[in-house]
């Protein structure tokens, strides 16, 4: 800790995203949709990762406005752009997601090379251990194996946690429901990611609710026979959704 007489270390400015679409406004309706869905808070979007290849651009963005929105909403935005340089038009896709690895997975499924969308190590707390790095890699690599049904992001400095409930798309998979939990250690400024396996959506969602109220038991292990089936993904919703705590 610095003493009151020591100067604070210089801080690097927070990078800002540049979608490079100034000349691509021939399609007014699409430009308006992009503004409403993505660029309305462009100055509050922090590029955690981005990749550009010809007409294609891929972004993992942290939305700093999300903390003031609906409690628990995802704070990451994955964006894919495809430009038509001759017509001066563009197409886009976007998805709000709770974890950076899930945003990476969404982009990889849409043509972004895995090795090209690595997160900026200067932005956000780094992984605390190898288990976290391994699980994040599986989430990024195998995003089509599981569907996301529920998530809640709590950015309370005393308990920064994100819980995500997933469902196996293969109905024969052991531990058909998974819960992935990211916790941030604000003192060490690192994060951990862990997973647990559940037999029913009710028990998976109940564990999420218990974790958000501070009453959760340890995560049950994923069945050994399912170890080769990586968790991850974004797709159809689960129901019902438990009510998370407010910030």
């Amino acid at each position: 800790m610095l003493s009151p007489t020591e100067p604070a270390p210089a801080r690097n400015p927070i990078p800002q995203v540049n979608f490079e679409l100034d000349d691509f406004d021939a399609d007014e309706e699409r430009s308006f949709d992009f503004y409403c869905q993505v660029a309305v808070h462009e100055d509050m979007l922090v590029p955690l990762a981005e990749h550009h290849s010809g007409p294609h651009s891929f972004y993992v963005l942290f939305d700093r406005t999300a903390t003031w929105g609906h409690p628990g909403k995802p704070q990451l935005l994955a964006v894919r752009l495809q430009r038509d340089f001759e017509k001066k038009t563009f197409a886009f896709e976007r998805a709000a997601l709770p974890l950076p690895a899930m945003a990476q997975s969404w982009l990889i499924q849409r043509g972004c090379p895995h090795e090209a969308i690595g997160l900026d190590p200067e932005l956000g707390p780094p992984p605390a251990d190898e288990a976290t790095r391994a699980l994040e890699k599986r989430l990024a690599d195998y995003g089509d194996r599981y569907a996301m049904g529920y998530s809640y992001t709590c950015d309370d400095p005393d308990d920064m946690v994100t819980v995500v409930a997933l469902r196996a798309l293969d109905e024969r998979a052991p531990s058909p429901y998974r819960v992935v939990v990211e916790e941030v250690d604000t003192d060490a400024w690192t994060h951990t990611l862990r997973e647990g396996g559940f037999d029913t959506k009710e028990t998976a969602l109940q564990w999420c609710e218990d974790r958000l109220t501070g009453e959760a038991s340890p995560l049950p292990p994923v069945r050994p026979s399912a170890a080769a089936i990586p968790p991850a993904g974004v797709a159809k919703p689960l129901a019902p959704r438990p009510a998370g705590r407010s910030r």
Side-chain angles (χ1 to χ4, degrees), residues 76-105:
L76 281 301
L77 195 65
V79 178
R80 173 184 176 269
L81 290 177
Q82 182 173 353
R83 303 171 184 83
D84 186 320
F85 293 106
E86 293 184 0
K87 297 180 180 179
K88 295 299 181 181
T89 61
F90 68 95
F92 77 95
E93 296 179 87
R94 49 88 71 187
L97 298 162
L99 297 172
M102 297 179 78
Q104 291 171 306
S105 174

Side-chain angles (χ1 to χ4, degrees), residues 11-138:
R11 298 184 64 181
N12 293 328
I14 298 175
Q16 292 187 343
V17 65
N18 183 357
F19 294 115
E20 300 181 359
L21 293 174
D22 291 345
D23 297 326
F24 291 81
D25 56 1
D27 188 327
E28 293 184 4
E29 182 177 355
R30 183 166 297 161
S31 296
F32 181 73
D33 288 344
F34 182 76
Y35 174 79
C36 293
Q37 297 181 39
V38 179
V40 62
H41 299 301
E42 184 171 341
D43 60 336
M44 296 294 285
L45 299 176
V46 180
L48 303 184
E50 56 184 292
H51 172 65
H52 308 279
S53 177
H56 304 282
S57 290
F58 305 87
Y59 303 87
V60 176
L61 305 170
F62 174 66
D63 183 1
R64 290 190 287 168
T65 70
T67 188
W68 309 114
H70 190 278
K73 69 180 293 186
Q75 298 185 352
L76 281 301
L77 195 65
V79 178
R80 173 184 176 269
L81 290 177
Q82 182 173 353
R83 303 171 184 83
D84 186 320
F85 293 106
E86 293 184 0
K87 297 180 180 179
K88 295 299 181 181
T89 61
F90 68 95
F92 77 95
E93 296 179 87
R94 49 88 71 187
L97 298 162
L99 297 172
M102 297 179 78
Q104 291 171 306
S105 174
W106 189 89
L107 295 171
I108 290 167
Q109 293 176 56
R110 285 156 179 79
C112 183
H114 178 278
E115 66 279 2
I117 201 67
L119 302 176
D120 187 333
E122 298 297 321
L123 300 174
D129 50 34
E130 185 56 37
T132 296
R133 284 186 284 270
L135 181 52
E136 287 178 335
K137 185 177 187 305
R138 286 192 285 141

